[in-house]
């Protein structure tokens, strides 16, 4: 059997890391420690070239913490202070024994007073979630809680919080939230540079699968690239379930992620990814959050795709008048409709299959 299957994942654009739910910073307000869905320390390192190579552990980075640290903050008498940066730095990225825990004094020198630093560089908002989680979104700080406390900060001076009640508002779609979070990352001080500094290529990747509501996949980014080793992909997706096996490729399913992958038999590397939306035989798969760089998601019609992508390279359909299925193929991407519904989207390998 030839490697005819197509397709995989979708999302947008040019972030330089794999997008996923993020570990939050911490903040103490009125004596209570809370999560902080903002990262004021990133504004201190607006020049990415001067940013330390923060790591979550010696020689270890994590897509669940793209910053490489967890910062602790405190609001005291209307002023924002940084009290800790929980992270590691390495003097030699080839030697684990060269790594050490970060100290505030090595980052801020004489600005440290009584074990904390006045965050006078920060002007912006602090978002502090409060109450029960209403919906989880596996991207950035996209999850929604009953309330948000919004503090407005000017040069480290903090206002009283505005309380936003999320229980009375209509929640945006998971796709919309996920893409807003990606756009925030793209517009952050890091821009398109890696969050982890020069250690990224040397460090061990550490990721966790969050199966609550599927994952967002950026095609061609991180492990979601043709040629990725199976062991690296499964560090993100978890162990797969063996499916078909052929002379040149074999298939593995990852139902919690809504993904099927074909691997090269000879190299054990990814040949093609597949993403499913309740297609026949895959009804039990989770439905991933999906959107192409031209705005196509699972709600798209054939006309939407033709308008976005133009004339297809190939246009297949059944021979009957009902046209119960249709496949539109473009360079590097392919869309399969069944019963008028988009059931599979993907990105092809370099050889087009």
């Amino acid at each position: 059997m030839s490697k005819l299957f197509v397709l995989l994942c979708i999302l947008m654009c040019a972030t330089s890391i794999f997008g996923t739910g993020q570990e939050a910073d911490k903040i103490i307000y009125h004596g209570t420690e809370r999560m902080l869905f903002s990262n004021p320390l990133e504004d201190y390192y607006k020049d990415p070239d001067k940013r330390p190579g923060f790591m979550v552990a010696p020689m270890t980075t994590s897509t669940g913490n793209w910053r490489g640290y967890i910062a602790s903050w405190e609001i005291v008498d209307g002023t924002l202070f940084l009290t800790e940066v929980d992270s590691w730095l390495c003097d030699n990225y080839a030697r684990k024994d060269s790594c050490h825990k970060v100290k505030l004094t090595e980052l801020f020198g004489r600005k440290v007073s009584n074990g904390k630093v006045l965050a006078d560089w920060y002007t912006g908002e602090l978002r502090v979630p409060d109450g029960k989680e209403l919906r989880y979104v596996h991207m950035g700080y996209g999850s929604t809680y009953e309330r948000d406390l919004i503090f407005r900060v000017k040069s480290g001076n903090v206002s009283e919080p505005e309380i936003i009640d999320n229980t009375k508002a209509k929640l945006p779609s998971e796709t919309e939230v996920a893409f807003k979070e990606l756009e925030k990352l793209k517009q952050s001080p890091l821009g398109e540079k890696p969050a982890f500094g020069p250690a990224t290529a040397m460090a061990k990747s550490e990721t966790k699968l969050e199966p609550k509501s599927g994952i967002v996949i950026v095609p061609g980014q991180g492990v979601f690239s043709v040629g990725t080793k199976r062991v690296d992909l499964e560090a993100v997706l978890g162990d797969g379930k063996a499916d078909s096996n052929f002379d040149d490729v074999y298939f593995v399913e990852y139902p919690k992620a809504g993904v099927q992958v074909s691997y090269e038999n000879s190299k054990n590397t990814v040949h093609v990814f597949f993403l499913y939306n309740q297609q026949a035989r895959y009804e039990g798969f989770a439905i991933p959050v999906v959107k192409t760089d031209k705005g196509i998601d699972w709600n798209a019609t054939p006309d939407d795709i033709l308008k976005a992508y133009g004339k297809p390279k190939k246009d297949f359909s059944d021979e009957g008048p009902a046209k119960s299925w249709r496949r539109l193929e473009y360079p590097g991407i392919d869309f399969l409709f069944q019963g008028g519904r988009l059931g599979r989207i993907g990105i092809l390998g370099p050889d087009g299959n």
Side-chain angles (χ1 to χ4, degrees), residues 217-255:
I217 300 171
V218 182
Q221 300 290 325
V223 296
F224 292 95
S225 305
V226 171
T228 295
K229 293 180 180 179
R230 178 176 175 178
V231 65
D232 293 333
L233 180 62
E234 290 191 342
V236 175
L237 297 184
D239 293 335
K241 177 184 175 184
D243 191 23
S244 306
N245 196 348
F246 303 98
D247 291 339
D248 46 3
V249 298
Y250 66 98
F251 292 81
V252 178
E253 296 179 349
Y254 303 90

Side-chain angles (χ1 to χ4, degrees), residues 68-104:
Y69 65 81
I70 294 177
S72 294
W73 307 84
E74 186 175 11
I75 297 175
V76 180
D77 295 331
T79 304
L80 180 65
F81 292 94
L82 174 65
T83 60
E84 183 184 16
V85 178
D86 185 2
S87 184
W88 290 76
L89 294 174
C90 297
D91 300 320
N92 184 334
Y93 294 112
R95 295 184 54 186
K96 195 171 183 177
D97 61 5
S98 74
C99 302
H100 63 276
K101 288 281 285 184
V102 170
K103 297 180 180 179
L104 281 181

Side-chain angles (χ1 to χ4, degrees), residues 101-151:
K101 288 281 285 184
V102 170
K103 297 180 180 179
L104 281 181
T105 50
E106 69 181 304
L107 300 179
F108 292 94
R110 294 182 179 179
K111 292 183 179 180
V112 180
S113 177
N114 296 321
K116 54 190 177 184
V117 180
L118 171 64
D120 55 2
W121 68 84
Y122 186 66
T123 295
E125 290 185 348
L126 303 176
R127 177 191 167 201
V128 177
D130 184 54
K132 295 181 181 179
E133 184 180 71
L134 301 179
R135 187 177 63 190
Y136 175 83
V137 173
H138 195 73
M139 175 63 70
Y141 299 132
S143 297
T144 303
Y145 288 75
E146 289 180 314
R147 292 170 295 280
D148 281 320
L149 308 183
I150 305 298
F151 298 84

